[in-house]
Amino acid sequence: MEETEFADVLDEWFIETLKTYKDLYVYQLENPTQVIEWTSEKNICVAGNSLSKSEILELHLPQRLFAQEIKGLCTERDFKVVRGGFTDGPVCCLVHVPGTRCAVTNDGLTSDLQVWDLGSDDRVTDVIRRTGGIRGSRNVAGSGSRIAAQPSSQPQVLHGAWSSDVQLSNVTSGQTLYKLAGPTSADPLTSLQFLSPPLQSSPCDSVLWWADASSGLEPCCCRVIRLSSSGHATVSDLRNQKEAVSQAQLNIKTRCCCLNHVRVSWAPALDNCVAVSGFDGAVQIYNTSCWGTALLEAQPLFQHCGHAIALRSNDVPVCITSHVWHPERPRTLLSAASDGSVHVWDWVDS
């Protein structure tokens, strides 16, 4: 397309967004990111995945997003860089340790972790600096670790690249506190997280699976969703994971761009809804309350295609590299794509 045609296409799309989005704000990173992590109610941490030096940034979301009533009175519509630093390589996994100003990352090349100081809230420094590291239990080329963290009196993370080498480590000292005993097979981990009260990890089989668990004070309130590389999604009760409560065949492209980019996540403030991304240039929202015990095709409740809409005919197709729900706003999400774009959006409930 000519420049004028290209601009017209974008203008038409942004006009259409007024009908389907309450809010949509865009930020362009120097390099693509596959990590988006909340550090507070209005701040996120992102990092590049370039094989050379990459940025690690803490960004403040646009103030206008949080204006309750008359948004016209709030002029701040841009992301703001709160703090920043550089890594010596890619960042393929990033977790903020709750209750601290600390983040833990993995480069996707080995199972070792890097520990970062995000700086204090009083803005004494604007620099994110590396303060230490945690050794993985087994280093095999290309075996990046998954990381999980939860509030505790002593900052600690659960991490591992394989189902046979999951361990709990102290963030400050790097000391190994616990090693998972049991599995002797060495299946690569696709997800790892704390539940209440046990933990659940998800190794992959010949068909790859990704998983997420909804939070709850009691096991009866927790549900696990699993998504296969063929698009088959199942929901099960945490107390009986062998039987599916409901299931569906999702309307997704089964040939995903990169296995490490696939995400499935429960909405923390919107009942029964999950977000799915990583298979193409869209983030899809599904309402699992519409699913039954029979395997039927399910259509998404909403799709965010904004990352792909600005592509020219000769551009490389973009793929969603990460997404995350806002912890309190029911329909607000952030998403990142392989072209380095970061969007924060809130769709209209129709």
Side-chain angles (χ1 to χ4, degrees):
M1 291 184 289
E2 297 293 334
E3 288 293 336
T4 53
E5 291 181 286
F6 185 65
D8 289 342
V9 170
L10 287 183
D11 288 342
E12 290 177 8
W13 181 77
F14 276 110
I15 291 173
E16 284 298 313
T17 65
L18 297 177
K19 303 176 184 177
T20 54
Y21 294 89
K22 289 175 60 180
D23 293 285
L24 173 60
Y25 304 96
V26 177
Y27 185 82
Q28 186 64 41
L29 295 170
E30 183 178 346
N31 292 302
T33 183
Q34 63 185 74
V35 295
I36 306 175
E37 178 76 356
W38 292 102
T39 57
S40 68
E41 180 189 359
K42 299 180 180 180
N43 286 10
I44 59 169
C45 193
V46 295
N49 61 357
S50 170
L51 290 176
S52 57
K53 182 179 289 187
S54 298
E55 280 188 309
I56 179 170
L57 302 173
E58 186 176 25
L59 301 176
H60 185 74
L61 301 186
Q63 289 282 15
R64 190 179 171 92
L65 177 69
F66 299 95
Q68 295 298 321
E69 298 295 337
I70 307 176
K71 290 183 179 288
L73 297 178
C74 182
T75 59
E76 294 292 337
R77 58 174 68 236
D78 296 324
F79 288 79
K80 288 189 174 180
V81 177
V82 181
R83 294 172 184 83
F86 290 95
T87 71
D88 294 329
V91 175
C92 296
C93 187
L94 184 153
V95 168
H96 171 244
V97 181
T100 73
R101 291 291 298 160
C102 172
V104 180
T105 63
N106 175 259
D107 59 12
L109 304 176
T110 71
S111 61
D112 293 342
L113 309 183
Q114 301 79 44
V115 180
W116 301 85
D117 179 6
L118 299 178
S120 60
D121 291 328
D122 56 13
R123 296 294 299 274
V124 174
T125 176
D126 294 335
V127 177
I128 296 175
R129 59 188 181 88
R130 182 174 171 179
T131 57
I134 300 173
R135 290 284 297 174
S137 61
R138 180 172 57 153
N139 274 319
V140 178
S143 58
S145 285
R146 302 297 185 219
I147 313 170
Q150 68 174 358
S152 61
S153 56
Q154 294 293 325
Q156 54 192 27
V157 291
L158 189 70
H159 59 103
W162 306 85
S163 56
S164 57
D165 65 5
V166 177
Q167 63 188 60
L168 187 69
S169 300
N170 183 288
V171 173
T172 306
S173 66
Q175 178 185 2
T176 300
L177 305 176
Y178 175 81
K179 286 189 175 182
L180 180 65
T184 56
S185 62
D187 295 319
L189 290 177
T190 57
S191 59
L192 185 67
Q193 67 188 101
F194 284 97
L195 299 181
S196 179
L199 60 86
Q200 176 73 20
S201 60
S202 224
C204 59
D205 204 341
S206 55
V207 174
L208 292 177
W209 290 82
W210 295 266
D212 188 43
S214 62
S215 59
L217 297 177
E218 300 294 336
C220 62
C221 301
C222 294
R223 291 171 302 162
V224 176
I225 183 166
R226 295 181 178 86
L227 173 64
S228 78
S229 52
S230 63
H232 180 195
T234 65
V235 176
S236 59
D237 190 308
L238 178 62
R239 298 165 298 177
N240 182 15
Q241 298 183 45
K242 293 183 178 180
E243 295 185 10
V245 176
S246 61
Q247 59 179 334
Q249 180 65 40
L250 304 191
N251 184 21
I252 58 176
K253 296 179 179 179
T254 55
R255 183 182 294 259
C256 57
C257 302
C258 176
L259 299 179
N260 287 331
H261 294 165
V262 176
R263 301 282 189 278
V264 56
S265 62
W266 287 104
L270 190 62
D271 290 343
N272 303 311
C273 285
V274 296
V276 174
S277 68
F279 290 91
D280 55 17
V283 181
Q284 295 184 329
I285 310 297
Y286 288 90
N287 184 353
T288 63
S289 67
C290 303
W291 302 356
T293 54
L295 182 60
L296 300 175
E297 184 171 336
Q299 297 299 319
L301 178 68
F302 183 80
Q303 288 192 98
H304 175 60
C305 302
H307 293 278
I309 202 68
L311 283 180
R312 302 168 190 263
S313 59
N314 59 344
D315 285 345
V316 176
V318 299
C319 181
I320 303 298
T321 55
S322 187
H323 78 257
V324 63
W325 293 87
H326 191 280
E328 296 176 359
R329 295 168 60 98
R331 293 180 178 83
T332 299
L333 293 92
L334 283 109
S335 53
S338 54
D339 63 350
S341 59
V342 176
H343 291 184
V344 57
W345 42 280
D346 189 324
W347 85 90
V348 174
D349 179 18
S350 56

